[in-house]
Amino acid sequence: MAETNTECIFCRIAAGEIPAERLVADEASLAFMDIGPLAEGHVLLVPREHYETLDDMPAETAGAMLRHLPALVRAVQTATGCQGVNVLQNNGRVAHQVVPHVHFHVIPRDEGDAFAFNWPAGSYAEGRMAELAEQIRSHMPE
Ligand code: 5GP
Ligand code: ZN
């Protein structure tokens, strides 16, 4: 079991030491309003245990947290009336992770809103996709 990190802002929120507007609270997970919303209704879903990145998490712990996602997305959509939602998980500093405790963003989206990201879709040279797929498969558990 991962330790609580007393330096970590999300561990401190989970422990009730820092106030947050909570939406879900069970033994495995917590969801609360993001203090710096990209849009009104921006929500964070986090595990109670301290894991820095998603790849550190046991599947069962991740599953126990992620089971809340569909209901959270539905509730955010209904409450805000947004047209769509991005579920975003920044994993590592290079991927814009600022708080080093796993979290999933649920971000309401509307036509013409301020949030934008670049999506530079590329393509593979002949054979490269299959080669890479084989390498990834070789690192997956049975
Ligand atoms: P990251 O860039 O690490 O994926 O996102 C971290 C998120 O945590 C940001 O959206 C930021 O607004 C949010 N956040 C940081 N500190 C606090 C806090 O003390 N309380 C809450 N509710 N959200 C926080
Ligand atoms: Zn933490």
Side-chain angles (χ1 to χ4, degrees):
M1 174 157 153
E3 299 292 320
T4 293
N5 181 337
T6 51
E7 309 274 288
C8 169
I9 196 113
F10 290 171
C11 284
R12 297 187 67 199
I13 287 175
E17 293 168 17
I18 294 177
E21 205 62 62
R22 293 177 175 213
L23 307 160
V24 170
D26 66 16
E27 68 279 359
S29 39
L30 202 69
F32 51 89
M33 303 295 281
D34 191 305
I35 206 169
L38 294 181
E40 287 197 0
H42 181 165
V43 164
L44 298 174
L45 176 63
V46 312
R48 276 191 185 272
E49 293 178 5
H50 182 86
Y51 296 99
E52 191 163 327
T53 51
L54 191 59
D55 45 292
D56 284 341
M57 288 189 77
E60 296 71 26
T61 314
M65 165 185 61
L66 290 172
R67 72 187 187 85
H68 295 294
L69 258 184
L72 266 177
V73 169
R74 277 193 295 274
V76 166
Q77 281 186 145
T78 307
T80 65
C82 64
Q83 297 168 331
V85 166
N86 277 121
V87 174
L88 201 62
Q89 197 270 322
N90 299 334
N91 210 54
R93 191 66 198 90
V94 72
H96 202 284
Q97 182 179 12
V98 174
V99 176
H101 178 132
V102 171
H103 50 282
F104 282 75
H105 296 264
V106 177
I107 306 166
R109 298 304 310 272
D110 281 295
E111 199 67 44
D113 64 19
F115 182 42
F117 50 89
N118 197 17
W119 193 283
S123 59
Y124 287 107
E126 182 70 29
R128 179 61 181 147
M129 182 195 282
E131 180 184 84
L132 207 46
E134 188 46 40
Q135 286 172 16
I136 294 170
R137 273 194 293 270
S138 76
H139 291 288
M140 291 295 288
E142 289 301 308

